[in-house]
Amino acid sequence: MQKSLRIAARVMLIGGVSLIATQVHAQLKVGKNPTSIQKSAILELESDKQGLLLPRVADTTLMTALNPPDGMIIYWTATGVEGFYVRHNYKWERMATKASSWDLLGNFITDATTQFVGSTNNVPFVLRGNNKEGLRIDDGNVIVKNDLTLSGITAGANTLMDAVIVDPTGKIYKRTLTAAAFSNFMINGKAELDQKINTDNAAGDYKFTTTTTGTTTTHQLSIATQTGGTTGPAVGLLTRDDWNTFNTAAKKALQVANFIDAADAKGLTIGTDGTLANNPTIALNAATEFTPGGVNIGAQTFGGAKTFAGKITGKNGLDVTAGGANITGVTNITGATNITGLTTITGNTEAGGNLHVTGTSTLDNKLTITTGGADVTGNTGITGDLHVTGKSALDNTVTLGSTAAGTTSDHKVLLLNASKEIITRDLPESAFTDVTFASDHTGTDLKVVKDATTNKVTVSIPQADPSVAGGLVSNVSQSFAGDKRYADNVSVQKYVKIGDTTALANSTLQVAGSVSMAIKEIASGPYTVDATDYTVVVKSGSAVTVNLPTAAGSKGRIYTIKKAAFDATNNLTNTVTVKAQAGQFIEDGNSIDIYNDWTFITVQSNGTDTWYIIKK
C-alpha cells in the first residue's frame, strides 16, 4: 500500500506541473533545449541545476474558498502538518510517507501515545467495511453506526448486576438491576409472580386500589356511575337512560320553514312542525313600512332611508313620486331620452369643464364663452367674416384658399419667430433678384466675388498646396502642410509610411519611429470594448466583465486586456471575464477568465465570428 501511495504521489506531482500551462492551448517547453519537446507532453521541464517549486501555502483557507478541483497539489508549510498535499474529494489529503503511513501487514509500535491510527484535528475517525461506515470516533466518543454483535459474553451471577441501557438518542448507559428484574413481572415496584387487574363501579372518584392475598396481588380500577346530582361524582360513567336522553335531543335539528308574507314586529317566527317530529323551526317574515323582515316577490313598502352601494337597475322604470331625486355623480343615459314637453331652465347653466362639440354645430345667434374654453373636434364652418381681437393659437396645418397678388414695391413678408409667433419683416429689393453662381481654382485662398452688373457670384477655391493658405484635395499628387486630424475613417489603398517622407513605404504600414497605442484603465464593469480601444487595464476590487465587440467586420483588429493589482493581495475573486458576443467565440469557447494580477490576454478577430488568442 505504501509503495502504491508513493507512486500515486509522484504521478500527481508531475501531473500537477501541467497547471502552469493551463492557459496555453499548445505544448510548452521550459528550460534547456527549447526546440526539443516530447510529443506526449503538454508541458516539459528540462534542467540539470534547477527544479520545480510548487506553491508554498501557510493557510489553505483562501485557496479552499475558490473550490479547487481534485488533483491540485500544494506544499503546506504550517507547523506540524508540513508536506505535500493533493486535493481529493473536496479535501486536502497529505501524500503518504514511510514515517506516517500504516501498513496492511501491521506496524511495529514503540510508543502508543504518539503512534496510532486516527485523526489529530477536529475531524471524526471512521472505519468502513464494504464502503459502509461501521465505527466512528468523534471527539473521544465511540459511535456504532449499524448492528452491534457481541460474542463470548460471560454469564453473570444471580445477584445485583450492571445492565447496558440504550436511550432514545442511541447513547449507551450503565444501570444496576436486581436479579428479580430478569425473572418476575413488576407493577408499581411489586415483584410478586401473580398479578390481577379488575374493574368495578364503586362510588367515589375513579382510582386504582391494590390488595395482596398470599402470592396474588389484585389491581382494581373503580369508576363511579354519573348521577348528575350536586353531591354526585365529578367524573363518572353514563347510564343507558342518560345516553337515550342525549341521543333523542341530538336528533332535533333546527329546521327552516317557508317564508311568511305576514308582518311580525321581530321579523322572525319560531315554531314547531308536526310533520318533523316536533323539531323546532324558524321562518322569515315579510318587511313592511313599520316592521323589519325579508323581501318577498310581491309588492312591498319599506320604511326608513336606504343606501345602495352598488348599481340600481329598474327593469320596468323608476318612479319618484315625491321629494325629487338628487344625483351627485356622473349620470350616463345609454338609451334614447325624449323630452316631449317644454323644458325651461330659469337659472344660469354652468359647464365647469370644457365644452366638447364632436359634430357640426349651427349657432343662429351669438356664442360667448367667458371661461373654460371650447374644444371643437368636428368641422366648423364660418361663412361670414372672422374677427379675432385676442391672440389666436393654430396648432395644426393652416391652409389659405386664396391670397392677393403683390407688386414690386411690396417687400413685407410673414415670418415665424422663436416663440412660433407670426411677425412681419421688410426685405431689401435684392432678396427678390435672381443671382447666378460660378467657380474657379485661382488665387491662394478662398475668395467670393459678386458682379453687381450681371448679378453673378464667383467662388474661387485653389488646389491644396503648402504655398496656399487653404485649398481642395484633388485626385492628383499633392503635398500638404500643417497638422491634419480626421474625425472619422481614413483608408489607404496601397502603402503608408509614418515618420519619414524622404522615401516610399516598403510595407503596407511602415513606422519610422515610436508607436503609441490607446490604453484605458477601468475600475468597474461591465465594459464593452470599442473601435477606439487597444489596451484595456482592469483595476478593480470586484469581478468585472469585459465584452468584446462583434468579430464580424473587424477582421485583424487586436485588443489586449490585462488585470492589474487592486491592492497588495493577489485577490483571485475579482475575476476579469473577457466575453465574446452571443453566438461568437474566443477560440473554442465564449469567454475566458483572468484570475491572477498582472496577467493579460491579446486577441485578434477573424472578421466573422471568432477572436483568436495570439498572446498570453
Side-chain angles (χ1 to χ4, degrees), residues 546-580:
V546 177
N547 297 307
L548 294 173
T550 177
S554 304
K555 186 173 183 178
R557 187 180 295 176
I558 298 174
Y559 291 116
T560 296
I561 296 92
K562 184 180 183 72
K563 179 187 176 186
F566 179 75
D567 50 30
T569 63
N570 185 20
N571 186 358
L572 301 182
T573 60
N574 56 344
T575 307
V576 176
T577 300
V578 183
K579 189 173 183 180

PDB file of all heavy atoms in Angstrom, residues 546-580:
ATOM      1  N   VAL A 546     -15.505  42.155 -19.300  1.00  0.00           N
ATOM      2  CA  VAL A 546     -15.110  42.977 -20.444  1.00  0.00           C
ATOM      3  C   VAL A 546     -15.661  42.313 -21.695  1.00  0.00           C
ATOM      4  O   VAL A 546     -15.285  41.182 -22.028  1.00  0.00           O
ATOM      5  CB  VAL A 546     -13.584  43.117 -20.524  1.00  0.00           C
ATOM      6  CG1 VAL A 546     -13.190  43.920 -21.761  1.00  0.00           C
ATOM      7  CG2 VAL A 546     -13.044  43.787 -19.270  1.00  0.00           C
ATOM      8  N   ASN A 547     -16.605  42.972 -22.371  1.00  0.00           N
ATOM      9  CA  ASN A 547     -17.254  42.426 -23.555  1.00  0.00           C
ATOM     10  C   ASN A 547     -16.513  42.871 -24.811  1.00  0.00           C
ATOM     11  O   ASN A 547     -16.265  44.066 -25.012  1.00  0.00           O
ATOM     12  CB  ASN A 547     -18.716  42.891 -23.624  1.00  0.00           C
ATOM     13  CG  ASN A 547     -19.536  42.384 -22.462  1.00  0.00           C
ATOM     14  OD1 ASN A 547     -19.568  41.195 -22.194  1.00  0.00           O
ATOM     15  ND2 ASN A 547     -20.187  43.281 -21.748  1.00  0.00           N
ATOM     16  N   LEU A 548     -16.168  41.882 -25.655  1.00  0.00           N
ATOM     17  CA  LEU A 548     -15.549  42.199 -26.937  1.00  0.00           C
ATOM     18  C   LEU A 548     -16.629  42.615 -27.928  1.00  0.00           C
ATOM     19  O   LEU A 548     -17.770  42.142 -27.844  1.00  0.00           O
ATOM     20  CB  LEU A 548     -14.797  40.971 -27.474  1.00  0.00           C
ATOM     21  CG  LEU A 548     -13.589  40.518 -26.651  1.00  0.00           C
ATOM     22  CD1 LEU A 548     -13.046  39.206 -27.201  1.00  0.00           C
ATOM     23  CD2 LEU A 548     -12.503  41.578 -26.629  1.00  0.00           C
ATOM     24  N   PRO A 549     -16.301  43.490 -28.896  1.00  0.00           N
ATOM     25  CA  PRO A 549     -17.296  43.821 -29.925  1.00  0.00           C
ATOM     26  C   PRO A 549     -17.490  42.641 -30.859  1.00  0.00           C
ATOM     27  O   PRO A 549     -16.783  41.622 -30.771  1.00  0.00           O
ATOM     28  CB  PRO A 549     -16.666  45.024 -30.640  1.00  0.00           C
ATOM     29  CG  PRO A 549     -15.200  44.841 -30.435  1.00  0.00           C
ATOM     30  CD  PRO A 549     -15.030  44.202 -29.088  1.00  0.00           C
ATOM     31  N   THR A 550     -18.448  42.749 -31.763  1.00  0.00           N
ATOM     32  CA  THR A 550     -18.670  41.669 -32.710  1.00  0.00           C
ATOM     33  C   THR A 550     -17.436  41.483 -33.580  1.00  0.00           C
ATOM     34  O   THR A 550     -16.780  42.446 -33.995  1.00  0.00           O
ATOM     35  CB  THR A 550     -19.909  41.948 -33.573  1.00  0.00           C
ATOM     36  OG1 THR A 550     -20.050  40.889 -34.528  1.00  0.00           O
ATOM     37  CG2 THR A 550     -19.786  43.273 -34.299  1.00  0.00           C
ATOM     38  N   ALA A 551     -17.078  40.222 -33.825  1.00  0.00           N
ATOM     39  CA  ALA A 551     -15.914  39.932 -34.657  1.00  0.00           C
ATOM     40  C   ALA A 551     -16.178  40.246 -36.126  1.00  0.00           C
ATOM     41  O   ALA A 551     -15.250  40.510 -36.893  1.00  0.00           O
ATOM     42  CB  ALA A 551     -15.513  38.464 -34.496  1.00  0.00           C
ATOM     43  N   ALA A 552     -17.452  40.216 -36.526  1.00  0.00           N
ATOM     44  CA  ALA A 552     -17.798  40.490 -37.920  1.00  0.00           C
ATOM     45  C   ALA A 552     -17.453  41.936 -38.264  1.00  0.00           C
ATOM     46  O   ALA A 552     -17.748  42.861 -37.520  1.00  0.00           O
ATOM     47  CB  ALA A 552     -19.279  40.218 -38.158  1.00  0.00           C
ATOM     48  N   GLY A 553     -16.804  42.146 -39.421  1.00  0.00           N
ATOM     49  CA  GLY A 553     -16.460  43.493 -39.857  1.00  0.00           C
ATOM     50  C   GLY A 553     -15.240  44.064 -39.175  1.00  0.00           C
ATOM     51  O   GLY A 553     -14.906  45.225 -39.396  1.00  0.00           O
ATOM     52  N   SER A 554     -14.563  43.282 -38.290  1.00  0.00           N
ATOM     53  CA  SER A 554     -13.377  43.771 -37.581  1.00  0.00           C
ATOM     54  C   SER A 554     -12.180  42.872 -37.864  1.00  0.00           C
ATOM     55  O   SER A 554     -11.362  42.602 -36.982  1.00  0.00           O
ATOM     56  CB  SER A 554     -13.643  43.834 -36.067  1.00  0.00           C
ATOM     57  OG  SER A 554     -14.764  44.621 -35.769  1.00  0.00           O
ATOM     58  N   LYS A 555     -12.068  42.370 -39.046  1.00  0.00           N
ATOM     59  CA  LYS A 555     -11.016  41.405 -39.379  1.00  0.00           C
ATOM     60  C   LYS A 555      -9.637  42.005 -39.089  1.00  0.00           C
ATOM     61  O   LYS A 555      -9.300  43.094 -39.538  1.00  0.00           O
ATOM     62  CB  LYS A 555     -11.114  40.998 -40.842  1.00  0.00           C
ATOM     63  CG  LYS A 555     -10.139  39.884 -41.222  1.00  0.00           C
ATOM     64  CD  LYS A 555     -10.379  39.399 -42.637  1.00  0.00           C
ATOM     65  CE  LYS A 555      -9.454  38.240 -42.972  1.00  0.00           C
ATOM     66  NZ  LYS A 555      -9.691  37.711 -44.338  1.00  0.00           N
ATOM     67  N   GLY A 556      -8.826  41.256 -38.319  1.00  0.00           N
ATOM     68  CA  GLY A 556      -7.473  41.670 -37.989  1.00  0.00           C
ATOM     69  C   GLY A 556      -7.370  42.576 -36.787  1.00  0.00           C
ATOM     70  O   GLY A 556      -6.257  42.834 -36.313  1.00  0.00           O
ATOM     71  N   ARG A 557      -8.450  43.115 -36.254  1.00  0.00           N
ATOM     72  CA  ARG A 557      -8.382  44.037 -35.123  1.00  0.00           C
ATOM     73  C   ARG A 557      -7.825  43.315 -33.891  1.00  0.00           C
ATOM     74  O   ARG A 557      -8.179  42.158 -33.626  1.00  0.00           O
ATOM     75  CB  ARG A 557      -9.743  44.620 -34.821  1.00  0.00           C
ATOM     76  CG  ARG A 557      -9.704  45.716 -33.756  1.00  0.00           C
ATOM     77  CD  ARG A 557     -11.069  46.280 -33.467  1.00  0.00           C
ATOM     78  NE  ARG A 557     -11.613  46.973 -34.633  1.00  0.00           N
ATOM     79  CZ  ARG A 557     -12.833  47.501 -34.673  1.00  0.00           C
ATOM     80  NH1 ARG A 557     -13.627  47.394 -33.590  1.00  0.00           N
ATOM     81  NH2 ARG A 557     -13.261  48.120 -35.752  1.00  0.00           N
ATOM     82  N   ILE A 558      -6.973  43.990 -33.113  1.00  0.00           N
ATOM     83  CA  ILE A 558      -6.275  43.388 -31.976  1.00  0.00           C
ATOM     84  C   ILE A 558      -6.629  44.170 -30.703  1.00  0.00           C
ATOM     85  O   ILE A 558      -6.623  45.401 -30.698  1.00  0.00           O
ATOM     86  CB  ILE A 558      -4.750  43.401 -32.194  1.00  0.00           C
ATOM     87  CG1 ILE A 558      -4.391  42.570 -33.437  1.00  0.00           C
ATOM     88  CG2 ILE A 558      -4.023  42.860 -30.964  1.00  0.00           C
ATOM     89  CD1 ILE A 558      -2.930  42.647 -33.794  1.00  0.00           C
ATOM     90  N   TYR A 559      -6.920  43.411 -29.628  1.00  0.00           N
ATOM     91  CA  TYR A 559      -7.162  44.002 -28.315  1.00  0.00           C
ATOM     92  C   TYR A 559      -6.328  43.251 -27.283  1.00  0.00           C
ATOM     93  O   TYR A 559      -6.158  42.024 -27.355  1.00  0.00           O
ATOM     94  CB  TYR A 559      -8.635  43.912 -27.904  1.00  0.00           C
ATOM     95  CG  TYR A 559      -9.570  44.768 -28.711  1.00  0.00           C
ATOM     96  CD1 TYR A 559     -10.556  44.189 -29.507  1.00  0.00           C
ATOM     97  CD2 TYR A 559      -9.479  46.151 -28.681  1.00  0.00           C
ATOM     98  CE1 TYR A 559     -11.427  44.977 -30.250  1.00  0.00           C
ATOM     99  CE2 TYR A 559     -10.342  46.941 -29.415  1.00  0.00           C
ATOM    100  CZ  TYR A 559     -11.308  46.343 -30.208  1.00  0.00           C
ATOM    101  OH  TYR A 559     -12.160  47.131 -30.929  1.00  0.00           O
ATOM    102  N   THR A 560      -5.838  43.997 -26.266  1.00  0.00           N
ATOM    103  CA  THR A 560      -5.147  43.404 -25.123  1.00  0.00           C
ATOM    104  C   THR A 560      -5.901  43.791 -23.860  1.00  0.00           C
ATOM    105  O   THR A 560      -6.150  44.979 -23.622  1.00  0.00           O
ATOM    106  CB  THR A 560      -3.693  43.878 -25.031  1.00  0.00           C
ATOM    107  OG1 THR A 560      -2.977  43.417 -26.180  1.00  0.00           O
ATOM    108  CG2 THR A 560      -3.022  43.332 -23.774  1.00  0.00           C
ATOM    109  N   ILE A 561      -6.285  42.785 -23.075  1.00  0.00           N
ATOM    110  CA  ILE A 561      -6.981  43.023 -21.800  1.00  0.00           C
ATOM    111  C   ILE A 561      -6.082  42.494 -20.685  1.00  0.00           C
ATOM    112  O   ILE A 561      -5.673  41.328 -20.704  1.00  0.00           O
ATOM    113  CB  ILE A 561      -8.362  42.335 -21.760  1.00  0.00           C
ATOM    114  CG1 ILE A 561      -9.285  42.942 -22.829  1.00  0.00           C
ATOM    115  CG2 ILE A 561      -8.990  42.496 -20.392  1.00  0.00           C
ATOM    116  CD1 ILE A 561      -9.248  42.232 -24.148  1.00  0.00           C
ATOM    117  N   LYS A 562      -5.790  43.339 -19.703  1.00  0.00           N
ATOM    118  CA  LYS A 562      -4.855  42.989 -18.624  1.00  0.00           C
ATOM    119  C   LYS A 562      -5.508  43.257 -17.274  1.00  0.00           C
ATOM    120  O   LYS A 562      -6.236  44.231 -17.113  1.00  0.00           O
ATOM    121  CB  LYS A 562      -3.567  43.810 -18.751  1.00  0.00           C
ATOM    122  CG  LYS A 562      -2.478  43.462 -17.744  1.00  0.00           C
ATOM    123  CD  LYS A 562      -1.245  44.330 -17.968  1.00  0.00           C
ATOM    124  CE  LYS A 562      -0.107  43.936 -17.013  1.00  0.00           C
ATOM    125  NZ  LYS A 562       0.493  42.645 -17.392  1.00  0.00           N
ATOM    126  N   LYS A 563      -5.222  42.350 -16.310  1.00  0.00           N
ATOM    127  CA  LYS A 563      -5.704  42.546 -14.944  1.00  0.00           C
ATOM    128  C   LYS A 563      -4.568  43.115 -14.102  1.00  0.00           C
ATOM    129  O   LYS A 563      -3.511  42.497 -13.982  1.00  0.00           O
ATOM    130  CB  LYS A 563      -6.187  41.229 -14.332  1.00  0.00           C
ATOM    131  CG  LYS A 563      -6.677  41.382 -12.893  1.00  0.00           C
ATOM    132  CD  LYS A 563      -6.993  40.047 -12.255  1.00  0.00           C
ATOM    133  CE  LYS A 563      -7.385  40.246 -10.783  1.00  0.00           C
ATOM    134  NZ  LYS A 563      -7.578  38.976 -10.079  1.00  0.00           N
ATOM    135  N   ALA A 564      -4.786  44.297 -13.512  1.00  0.00           N
ATOM    136  CA  ALA A 564      -3.796  44.920 -12.632  1.00  0.00           C
ATOM    137  C   ALA A 564      -4.171  44.670 -11.180  1.00  0.00           C
ATOM    138  O   ALA A 564      -5.317  44.359 -10.854  1.00  0.00           O
ATOM    139  CB  ALA A 564      -3.717  46.421 -12.908  1.00  0.00           C
ATOM    140  N   ALA A 565      -3.190  44.788 -10.281  1.00  0.00           N
ATOM    141  CA  ALA A 565      -3.431  44.562  -8.850  1.00  0.00           C
ATOM    142  C   ALA A 565      -4.232  45.716  -8.277  1.00  0.00           C
ATOM    143  O   ALA A 565      -3.908  46.883  -8.488  1.00  0.00           O
ATOM    144  CB  ALA A 565      -2.113  44.413  -8.111  1.00  0.00           C
ATOM    145  N   PHE A 566      -5.293  45.379  -7.537  1.00  0.00           N
ATOM    146  CA  PHE A 566      -6.111  46.400  -6.882  1.00  0.00           C
ATOM    147  C   PHE A 566      -5.496  46.819  -5.548  1.00  0.00           C
ATOM    148  O   PHE A 566      -5.571  47.969  -5.150  1.00  0.00           O
ATOM    149  CB  PHE A 566      -7.531  45.877  -6.681  1.00  0.00           C
ATOM    150  CG  PHE A 566      -8.446  46.854  -6.000  1.00  0.00           C
ATOM    151  CD1 PHE A 566      -8.948  47.947  -6.689  1.00  0.00           C
ATOM    152  CD2 PHE A 566      -8.801  46.686  -4.665  1.00  0.00           C
ATOM    153  CE1 PHE A 566      -9.789  48.852  -6.057  1.00  0.00           C
ATOM    154  CE2 PHE A 566      -9.636  47.585  -4.041  1.00  0.00           C
ATOM    155  CZ  PHE A 566     -10.126  48.669  -4.742  1.00  0.00           C
ATOM    156  N   ASP A 567      -4.887  45.853  -4.840  1.00  0.00           N
ATOM    157  CA  ASP A 567      -4.211  46.146  -3.584  1.00  0.00           C
ATOM    158  C   ASP A 567      -3.030  45.192  -3.454  1.00  0.00           C
ATOM    159  O   ASP A 567      -2.622  44.548  -4.420  1.00  0.00           O
ATOM    160  CB  ASP A 567      -5.171  46.040  -2.380  1.00  0.00           C
ATOM    161  CG  ASP A 567      -5.952  44.740  -2.400  1.00  0.00           C
ATOM    162  OD1 ASP A 567      -5.424  43.744  -2.921  1.00  0.00           O
ATOM    163  OD2 ASP A 567      -7.095  44.723  -1.901  1.00  0.00           O
ATOM    164  N   ALA A 568      -2.475  45.094  -2.236  1.00  0.00           N
ATOM    165  CA  ALA A 568      -1.269  44.298  -2.047  1.00  0.00           C
ATOM    166  C   ALA A 568      -1.508  42.799  -2.156  1.00  0.00           C
ATOM    167  O   ALA A 568      -0.589  42.028  -2.401  1.00  0.00           O
ATOM    168  CB  ALA A 568      -0.647  44.629  -0.683  1.00  0.00           C
ATOM    169  N   THR A 569      -2.754  42.344  -1.963  1.00  0.00           N
ATOM    170  CA  THR A 569      -3.063  40.911  -2.031  1.00  0.00           C
ATOM    171  C   THR A 569      -3.432  40.516  -3.447  1.00  0.00           C
ATOM    172  O   THR A 569      -4.021  41.292  -4.197  1.00  0.00           O
ATOM    173  CB  THR A 569      -4.236  40.576  -1.091  1.00  0.00           C
ATOM    174  OG1 THR A 569      -5.408  41.273  -1.536  1.00  0.00           O
ATOM    175  CG2 THR A 569      -3.919  40.985   0.333  1.00  0.00           C
ATOM    176  N   ASN A 570      -3.078  39.288  -3.802  1.00  0.00           N
ATOM    177  CA  ASN A 570      -3.468  38.752  -5.110  1.00  0.00           C
ATOM    178  C   ASN A 570      -4.869  38.185  -4.986  1.00  0.00           C
ATOM    179  O   ASN A 570      -5.061  36.990  -4.759  1.00  0.00           O
ATOM    180  CB  ASN A 570      -2.475  37.680  -5.563  1.00  0.00           C
ATOM    181  CG  ASN A 570      -2.779  37.193  -6.978  1.00  0.00           C
ATOM    182  OD1 ASN A 570      -3.460  37.869  -7.744  1.00  0.00           O
ATOM    183  ND2 ASN A 570      -2.274  36.030  -7.315  1.00  0.00           N
ATOM    184  N   ASN A 571      -5.872  39.044  -5.088  1.00  0.00           N
ATOM    185  CA  ASN A 571      -7.267  38.654  -4.869  1.00  0.00           C
ATOM    186  C   ASN A 571      -7.774  37.885  -6.088  1.00  0.00           C
ATOM    187  O   ASN A 571      -7.953  38.451  -7.165  1.00  0.00           O
ATOM    188  CB  ASN A 571      -8.116  39.904  -4.631  1.00  0.00           C
ATOM    189  CG  ASN A 571      -9.527  39.565  -4.246  1.00  0.00           C
ATOM    190  OD1 ASN A 571      -9.906  38.395  -4.193  1.00  0.00           O
ATOM    191  ND2 ASN A 571     -10.326  40.567  -3.971  1.00  0.00           N
ATOM    192  N   LEU A 572      -8.014  36.595  -5.915  1.00  0.00           N
ATOM    193  CA  LEU A 572      -8.446  35.757  -7.033  1.00  0.00           C
ATOM    194  C   LEU A 572      -9.946  35.817  -7.275  1.00  0.00           C
ATOM    195  O   LEU A 572     -10.438  35.240  -8.241  1.00  0.00           O
ATOM    196  CB  LEU A 572      -8.024  34.297  -6.790  1.00  0.00           C
ATOM    197  CG  LEU A 572      -6.520  34.057  -6.621  1.00  0.00           C
ATOM    198  CD1 LEU A 572      -6.242  32.583  -6.432  1.00  0.00           C
ATOM    199  CD2 LEU A 572      -5.745  34.599  -7.810  1.00  0.00           C
ATOM    200  N   THR A 573     -10.684  36.487  -6.372  1.00  0.00           N
ATOM    201  CA  THR A 573     -12.142  36.538  -6.554  1.00  0.00           C
ATOM    202  C   THR A 573     -12.578  37.690  -7.452  1.00  0.00           C
ATOM    203  O   THR A 573     -13.684  37.678  -7.968  1.00  0.00           O
ATOM    204  CB  THR A 573     -12.843  36.669  -5.190  1.00  0.00           C
ATOM    205  OG1 THR A 573     -12.401  37.860  -4.549  1.00  0.00           O
ATOM    206  CG2 THR A 573     -12.521  35.467  -4.318  1.00  0.00           C
ATOM    207  N   ASN A 574     -11.700  38.721  -7.615  1.00  0.00           N
ATOM    208  CA  ASN A 574     -12.071  39.823  -8.519  1.00  0.00           C
ATOM    209  C   ASN A 574     -11.685  39.441  -9.949  1.00  0.00           C
ATOM    210  O   ASN A 574     -10.848  40.059 -10.592  1.00  0.00           O
ATOM    211  CB  ASN A 574     -11.419  41.137  -8.084  1.00  0.00           C
ATOM    212  CG  ASN A 574      -9.894  41.023  -7.990  1.00  0.00           C
ATOM    213  OD1 ASN A 574      -9.357  39.924  -7.959  1.00  0.00           O
ATOM    214  ND2 ASN A 574      -9.217  42.151  -7.957  1.00  0.00           N
ATOM    215  N   THR A 575     -12.350  38.394 -10.437  1.00  0.00           N
ATOM    216  CA  THR A 575     -12.040  37.823 -11.746  1.00  0.00           C
ATOM    217  C   THR A 575     -12.362  38.804 -12.864  1.00  0.00           C
ATOM    218  O   THR A 575     -13.366  39.521 -12.819  1.00  0.00           O
ATOM    219  CB  THR A 575     -12.862  36.529 -11.949  1.00  0.00           C
ATOM    220  OG1 THR A 575     -12.648  35.673 -10.835  1.00  0.00           O
ATOM    221  CG2 THR A 575     -12.467  35.825 -13.229  1.00  0.00           C
ATOM    222  N   VAL A 576     -11.496  38.842 -13.879  1.00  0.00           N
ATOM    223  CA  VAL A 576     -11.771  39.593 -15.103  1.00  0.00           C
ATOM    224  C   VAL A 576     -12.205  38.587 -16.165  1.00  0.00           C
ATOM    225  O   VAL A 576     -11.436  37.714 -16.556  1.00  0.00           O
ATOM    226  CB  VAL A 576     -10.535  40.374 -15.574  1.00  0.00           C
ATOM    227  CG1 VAL A 576     -10.827  41.065 -16.905  1.00  0.00           C
ATOM    228  CG2 VAL A 576     -10.129  41.402 -14.526  1.00  0.00           C
ATOM    229  N   THR A 577     -13.455  38.681 -16.599  1.00  0.00           N
ATOM    230  CA  THR A 577     -14.004  37.769 -17.599  1.00  0.00           C
ATOM    231  C   THR A 577     -14.058  38.486 -18.938  1.00  0.00           C
ATOM    232  O   THR A 577     -14.759  39.486 -19.089  1.00  0.00           O
ATOM    233  CB  THR A 577     -15.411  37.297 -17.197  1.00  0.00           C
ATOM    234  OG1 THR A 577     -15.335  36.614 -15.943  1.00  0.00           O
ATOM    235  CG2 THR A 577     -15.975  36.350 -18.251  1.00  0.00           C
ATOM    236  N   VAL A 578     -13.308  37.982 -19.902  1.00  0.00           N
ATOM    237  CA  VAL A 578     -13.324  38.518 -21.265  1.00  0.00           C
ATOM    238  C   VAL A 578     -14.336  37.678 -22.045  1.00  0.00           C
ATOM    239  O   VAL A 578     -14.213  36.456 -22.140  1.00  0.00           O
ATOM    240  CB  VAL A 578     -11.934  38.443 -21.913  1.00  0.00           C
ATOM    241  CG1 VAL A 578     -11.969  39.066 -23.304  1.00  0.00           C
ATOM    242  CG2 VAL A 578     -10.912  39.147 -21.034  1.00  0.00           C
ATOM    243  N   LYS A 579     -15.360  38.335 -22.600  1.00  0.00           N
ATOM    244  CA  LYS A 579     -16.502  37.623 -23.161  1.00  0.00           C
ATOM    245  C   LYS A 579     -16.779  38.088 -24.584  1.00  0.00           C
ATOM    246  O   LYS A 579     -16.760  39.282 -24.880  1.00  0.00           O
ATOM    247  CB  LYS A 579     -17.740  37.846 -22.286  1.00  0.00           C
ATOM    248  CG  LYS A 579     -18.932  36.978 -22.648  1.00  0.00           C
ATOM    249  CD  LYS A 579     -20.036  37.156 -21.624  1.00  0.00           C
ATOM    250  CE  LYS A 579     -21.206  36.241 -21.910  1.00  0.00           C
ATOM    251  NZ  LYS A 579     -22.277  36.421 -20.920  1.00  0.00           N
ATOM    252  N   ALA A 580     -17.029  37.108 -25.481  1.00  0.00           N
ATOM    253  CA  ALA A 580     -17.421  37.422 -26.854  1.00  0.00           C
ATOM    254  C   ALA A 580     -18.922  37.670 -26.917  1.00  0.00           C
ATOM    255  O   ALA A 580     -19.670  37.353 -25.980  1.00  0.00           O
ATOM    256  CB  ALA A 580     -17.032  36.277 -27.791  1.00  0.00           C
TER     257      ALA A 580
END
